[in-house]
Amino acid sequence: MAVVAATIALDHHIRVLMTHTHSEQGVLEHVFSQTGAAAQARTSGGMDAIERLVQCGLLTPEGIRDHAESILKDRLELLSGSMHSEKQTARLLLPHIFRDYRRFYDLLFVDVSQEDDPEAAAFVMEQADLIVVNVSQNQVSLNSYFGASGQAPVPEHKHVLYCLGAYERSSRMNKERLIKQYGVKKSAVGIVPYNTGFMDAQNERRTVQFLLKAREARARFLEFSEEAYFTASVRRLGKLILQTLEISPVPELEAAND
């Protein structure tokens, strides 16, 4: 979710807000933190600030914007999780966020955690215009998910896309086999390739810097580029999401020319 949201924000004249339903701060906060000090600065913002405003009846769309952390100026922002590890926080606050976010944002990405708070996850899926299911190339996990008895509780009437994360293109369980074996539409499957550089960038809190550098890589004739392949794949998934949502944002290049 992090890499797709960031790529959409980099590629288009569009404003994106990210948050999650986890009971405490975690991966999103880590991968988008430049330093440890940035994480400490979140104690006065994020979901904790939203909770205080809701309790006082003072939450406005401006309040959401003002307490989200800027990742890419005027493009990508993160509403960090609570510092208090209270499971009900997201469940109580998400209805307010869904109601008000559209004033300043074009897209809202919510990372759903079934384990932390099933009720919050169910609420997000019911409210969502699109559900993106992360799947792996593990046969057992795929059988469990796509099997009739193991199907995850995704509302039937919702648009659903599938993302093969940490994708290994040389695996026999590739995208094409998944589509054929489980009867999934080709247009409903995207990939985020496994990339060691991206993994290191997440660990070292330089995700945005990695993405900016990877965008400079160019595929050459008879020469495979991991970075170019990674960027192109993520862009295709982002485009698939926007097309499914029937959103046609202005590409960054066109916006710059204007």
Side-chain angles (χ1 to χ4, degrees):
M1 188 188 89
V3 67
V4 173
T7 299
I8 288 176
L10 286 167
D11 280 349
H12 303 285
H13 193 67
I14 193 170
R15 193 161 181 175
V16 181
L17 176 66
M18 301 178 295
T19 190
H20 58 78
T21 66
H22 297 269
S23 60
E24 58 187 9
Q25 296 191 3
V27 175
L28 279 177
E29 287 84 3
H30 179 86
V31 301
F32 286 119
S33 291
Q34 299 296 319
T35 64
Q40 295 179 1
R42 295 194 178 101
T43 57
S44 60
M47 283 292 193
D48 291 331
I50 300 300
E51 183 178 13
R52 291 192 293 269
L53 292 173
V54 168
Q55 289 173 344
C56 298
L58 298 175
L59 181 65
T60 62
E62 288 81 3
I64 296 175
R65 177 198 61 189
D66 293 344
H67 293 290
E69 180 182 357
S70 177
I71 308 301
L72 295 168
K73 183 175 174 57
D74 297 327
R75 295 297 178 87
L76 180 66
E77 297 179 0
L78 170 63
L79 193 59
S80 58
S82 173
M83 298 288 289
H84 304 304
S85 302
E86 295 180 2
K87 290 189 176 183
Q88 71 271 23
T89 300
R91 186 190 323 158
L92 297 175
L93 302 182
L94 282 168
H96 299 276
I97 295 168
F98 270 89
R99 183 192 67 200
D100 291 335
Y101 83 90
R102 287 183 174 87
R103 173 75 177 275
F104 294 105
Y105 302 96
D106 302 293
L107 277 176
L108 170 64
F109 282 82
V110 184
D111 182 29
V112 171
S113 170
Q114 289 275 15
E115 293 76 15
D116 281 355
D117 194 336
E119 291 185 29
F123 172 81
V124 171
M125 288 192 288
E126 187 57 44
Q127 294 295 315
D129 297 310
L130 169 66
I131 298 170
V132 180
V133 181
N134 287 312
V135 293
S136 70
Q137 291 168 279
N138 181 282
Q139 184 83 62
V140 175
S141 297
L142 290 170
N143 288 341
S144 176
Y145 180 82
F146 287 105
S149 61
Q151 183 71 32
V154 175
E156 293 183 1
H157 60 285
K158 294 293 183 179
H159 291 295
V160 179
L161 298 178
Y162 299 93
C163 171
L164 277 162
Y167 182 74
E168 294 284 359
R169 62 192 183 96
S170 59
S171 169
R172 293 184 180 179
M173 180 50 74
N174 54 27
K175 174 183 173 181
E176 289 71 26
R177 181 177 174 185
L178 180 145
I179 290 169
K180 182 178 180 180
Q181 184 166 331
Y182 298 103
V184 181
K185 293 182 179 179
K186 183 178 180 180
S187 60
V189 182
I191 65 171
V192 174
Y194 178 80
N195 184 285
T196 304
F198 178 57
M199 179 189 70
D200 289 341
Q202 288 183 301
N203 289 334
E204 297 166 5
R205 303 184 179 189
R206 50 181 181 84
T207 302
V208 173
Q209 293 92 325
F210 170 83
L211 294 177
L212 289 171
K213 185 176 181 179
R215 294 159 68 86
E216 298 175 0
R218 295 290 182 269
R220 299 180 180 179
F221 184 64
L222 297 180
E223 182 179 331
F224 181 76
S225 168
E226 291 284 355
E227 283 67 31
Y229 172 62
F230 180 85
T231 300
S233 299
V234 174
R235 278 177 164 161
R236 279 194 291 269
L237 179 54
K239 183 178 180 180
L240 185 58
I241 289 173
L242 295 177
Q243 288 177 338
T244 304
L245 293 172
E246 298 182 345
I247 296 175
S248 301
V250 177
E252 175 60 26
L253 182 59
E254 291 182 19
N257 291 337
D258 292 343

